[in-house]
Amino acid sequence: MKQENRKDEIIQTATKLFKKKGYSAVTMRDIAKEMGIKAASLYNHINSKQDILTTIIISLAKEYTEGIEIIKLSENNSIEKLKQIIALHVKITTQNANGMASLNNDWMHLEEQLEYYLMLRTNYESDFREIIIRGIENNEITKSNPDIILFSILSTLRSLYLWIPKKDILNPNKLALDLSSILINGIKK
């Protein structure tokens, strides 16, 4: 097996275990056992459990940051941008629900990359808030506290990783449309 494929396999196995047990409860031996190999073999492909966590969290955080940057710079109005952000979350979560568990629950265990991750998260939330503020200023979004709007939408989007794997048949595009309708338009008839 190629070195990179084995590394990816280790990361995917660890990601599942991190979601199931939490980062702190998983050992390198647990990862090796799940893969049916000796723990020492893992170190031919990775340096540490911390490196695995860093790879998972930073890659997802970058994917969100890069995605929202493209959305923010687009010519779309604020409502369309919010719909694109919701679709971004659905896409990333459906592709990596296990990794999202680490992003949401284990980020505080990052060591050397913690400050970098926090910077990415802060920038993401700032861009998201800015889109909401522009929407309020342009009379596209009701005058309300932008932080409450941000919190309300992000709370739902950040918990998708818990809900999505429980759905056998899921159309990510339809989910993004339905979520957009509810999160942006509300449930009032």
Side-chain angles (χ1 to χ4, degrees):
M1 179 172 275
K2 286 175 70 173
Q3 180 100 354
E4 198 58 38
N5 289 343
R6 182 57 106 179
K7 181 179 179 181
D8 291 342
E9 184 183 351
I10 292 166
I11 290 169
Q12 290 307 313
T13 301
T15 303
K16 288 177 194 168
L17 290 173
F18 294 168
K19 182 180 181 194
K20 184 177 178 181
K21 297 179 170 186
Y23 172 79
S24 296
V26 175
T27 65
M28 293 296 276
R29 283 195 172 124
D30 293 333
I31 298 167
K33 182 179 178 185
E34 186 75 17
M35 293 181 68
I37 62 175
K38 294 183 189 267
S41 299
L42 294 175
Y43 294 101
N44 292 328
H45 307 281
I46 55 155
N47 294 323
S48 66
K49 186 173 86 162
Q50 180 63 209
D51 283 351
I52 295 170
L53 184 67
T54 299
T55 298
I56 295 165
I57 291 176
I58 298 300
S59 66
L60 286 168
K62 283 182 177 179
E63 195 171 348
Y64 279 112
T65 303
E66 291 165 3
I68 201 164
E69 187 64 27
I70 292 167
I71 293 166
K72 182 179 150 191
L73 295 174
S74 76
E75 296 295 322
N76 293 323
N77 67 35
S78 296
I79 297 298
E80 286 305 312
K81 288 179 181 183
L82 289 176
K83 289 178 182 179
Q84 290 174 321
I85 292 169
I86 292 167
L88 176 69
H89 275 264
V90 169
K91 175 185 169 236
I92 292 171
T93 303
T94 55
Q95 292 173 350
N96 195 349
N98 293 330
M100 289 304 300
S102 289
L103 181 70
N104 287 310
N105 303 325
D106 298 320
W107 62 266
M108 72 287 300
H109 298 293
L110 288 173
E111 293 169 2
E112 294 168 5
Q113 294 291 317
L114 180 59
E115 283 185 42
Y116 179 60
Y117 165 72
L118 291 173
M119 180 199 68
L120 290 173
R121 186 171 85 178
T122 299
N123 291 345
Y124 180 84
E125 290 176 0
S126 294
D127 287 345
F128 202 144
R129 185 179 296 101
E130 186 179 319
I131 290 167
I132 293 167
I133 291 168
R134 294 288 163 262
I136 293 169
E137 290 171 351
N138 293 334
N139 208 27
E140 299 166 317
I141 297 173
T142 186
K143 255 191 174 179
S144 194
N145 184 324
D147 287 324
I148 293 173
I149 296 170
L150 176 67
F151 170 77
S152 299
I153 295 173
L154 269 181
S155 294
T156 298
L157 297 177
R158 285 181 173 155
S159 63
L160 282 174
Y161 77 94
L162 295 169
W163 186 76
I164 284 178
K166 296 176 183 171
K167 304 299 169 201
D168 292 333
I169 300 173
L170 179 76
N171 179 326
N173 294 329
K174 177 152 177 29
L175 176 59
L177 288 172
D178 290 347
L179 275 173
S180 291
S181 176
I182 291 168
L183 293 173
I184 296 170
N185 302 326
I187 60 170
K188 186 176 176 183
K189 191 170 184 178

